[in-house]
Amino acid sequence: MTTTPPVRSPEAARKSRRPTGRRPRTPLSHRLRLYARNPVVAIGVVALVLFTYLIAAPIVSLLVDAFVVHRQDTAITQQEEGAPTSYYLWRVLVSPQAVSIFWEPLANTLLIAVSAIILALVIGGSAAWLLVRTNMWGRKWFSTALIVPYMLPAWTFALAWVTLFKNRTTGGQAGWMENLGLAIPNWLSYGRLPIILIFAVHFSPFVIMLIGNALKSFDTTLEESSRLLGASRLATTFSIVIPILRPALISAVTLMLAKILGEFGVAYILGLPVNMNVLATSLYRNVYSDQKGSAAVMVAAIVLIGALSLWVDTHFLRESKRFVTISGKSGSSGTVARLGKSRWIATLACTLLFTASVAIPIVVLALSTVMWNPGVFAASNFTLDFWIGKDLSTIGFSEGILRNSGVWQAAWNSVWIVGLAATLSGIMGLFVGYVVVRSPSPLLSAALRQLVFFPYLVPGIAFAVAYLSLFSVQRGPIPALYGTAAILVLIYFTEQMPFTSRSGISAMMQLGADPEESAQMAGAGWWRRFATIVLPIQKGALASGAIMAFISGIKSLSLVVILAVPGMDVLTTLSIRLLDVGYSQAGNAVVLLIALISFTGTYTVQKVMKTDLAHGIGG
């Protein structure tokens, strides 16, 4: 039987003769006309210009400062102000002062970072395994209790340490241990050891959250298969478990390194008494000694270290894709190690970790605020004057913190400045997420996504120095903002964009375009579609991002310690100023207020948004 081939139309014949390789490219002029009529592209371009000014411009301005002569150095360089120079590179890297300015602080920073990260991985990894993979008592309670240090400022622990172990090196009141008759050596009171221990305790919750989340999704049948084939527990751990957990481990290391590079408060409190500097405190000293060029070189070095850490993170995560496993069932949820007689040891270990990382620091700080003399437990030594007293002997701060107008002003500044910045950051994060997901221009999406993530690479104090460089003088129509609330709002807003934008991108990727397309076919314009469809659906993500940005900003010190001035203090900078003049009871009380706001805010977010940090970051 013979079949007659179908008759094709001329149009079909032309299509069949068209090359089947690459699709014909749309002319550039046509694409540009389409983009010009698309509101998403217009919003993306505005956002790109805005963040180029708020993120790239400060860094560029700072880098320029490293290569031009500043007014105070014209005599030394024998050059005019503004002339090109390599003097600051020489001063920071190879001059006789380079060791104390850069190399010694760099060595201290790397030693502290490596030691603290290793210790945090051991502590956090062990705790995560106990919480997820064993039948330890109280797992649900500990899964929340052990992440409380994440909610507190890092330098809360430094203040508690000083209250306990301070000796007479710095003069003033003695610490608790010294008042109890114990001689405390400098290496225990100050310097590298306590800084390492504090960072390890403070950052172990990051490890618990990241590793715990990875362990929950880990298919334990791989381990069981390895053991059945005769591999030892150690061989199974190094050949199967660690390679699969590598993404979480690398992410934890990168996150902790970025935080430690920019953490100012802990090193300032515990390093200054013994003249031990890290990069953050050396940078701070250069700024306050008006060494702008040297500070710019140091910021460039810190940013370079951050960029290298991100490259390592990206490289290893790419390599780790070889170890990705896909399983239709959860192996970890049903496989729990039976600890037997050691069950109580595991529970005791987590109890001790909670006691050391949460209970002792909070109790010590709270007691220090109601004692005239530290560590003296006689009834006559207790007082509420530092909270509600009047006519105290503390010059310039003669009222308890609950009566003091300066504290209330700093609290109000913290609430409205950080609150405004967090709200703007949450809103802009959603807009950025919308542009990245919906933009017809891949180039615009990629450029905006990478640009708003850049502040993650720049530690807080380095970013503050960059803002000081850009906004300390008038540039074009933008007036000098140093000493105003505007510069604090801008830097809080910009510094939170990496996190709120990721939240916005994640939320928009889960929202299909069908509802908007249906509304567009019905004649609704873009703004109406966004206001009536996108915002109502994404209001939870917007609120969550804004509130978490607020909590992060409230406890931030490194970001604003250089930019806040007396009269424009927030709670974090007020507490440091009180501690600088020896008013430790008042300073500790302000820190407790910050911790209370941070903890209450985090807990409220978890309950209202029905999220749980104990389920891992992003949980």
Side-chain angles (χ1 to χ4, degrees), residues 405-454:
S405 59
V407 173
W408 287 108
Q409 182 62 52
W412 170 241
N413 288 343
S414 295
V415 170
W416 84 263
I417 290 174
V418 179
L420 176 60
T423 302
L424 293 175
S425 183
I427 294 171
M428 202 65 199
L430 184 60
F431 274 109
V432 168
Y434 189 93
V435 171
V436 168
V437 175
R438 296 283 196 266
S439 173
S441 170
L443 180 62
L444 177 62
S445 297
L448 186 58
R449 181 172 186 157
Q450 296 302 321
L451 182 60
V452 296
F453 188 69
F454 191 74

Side-chain angles (χ1 to χ4, degrees), residues 190-224:
Y190 311 103
R192 299 180 189 88
L193 177 63
I195 295 175
I196 290 170
L197 294 177
I198 286 168
F199 279 146
V201 167
H202 179 67
F203 290 116
S204 60
F206 284 111
V207 182
I208 292 173
M209 290 186 286
L210 287 167
I211 302 300
N213 196 39
L215 284 173
K216 284 184 176 72
S217 58
F218 184 85
D219 189 353
T220 55
T221 56
L222 297 171
E223 289 180 89
E224 295 166 2

Side-chain angles (χ1 to χ4, degrees), residues 33 49 167 228 282 323 385 427 429 464:
R33 285 195 297 271
V49 172
N167 61 25
L228 287 173
S282 183
F323 300 100
D385 282 358
I427 294 171

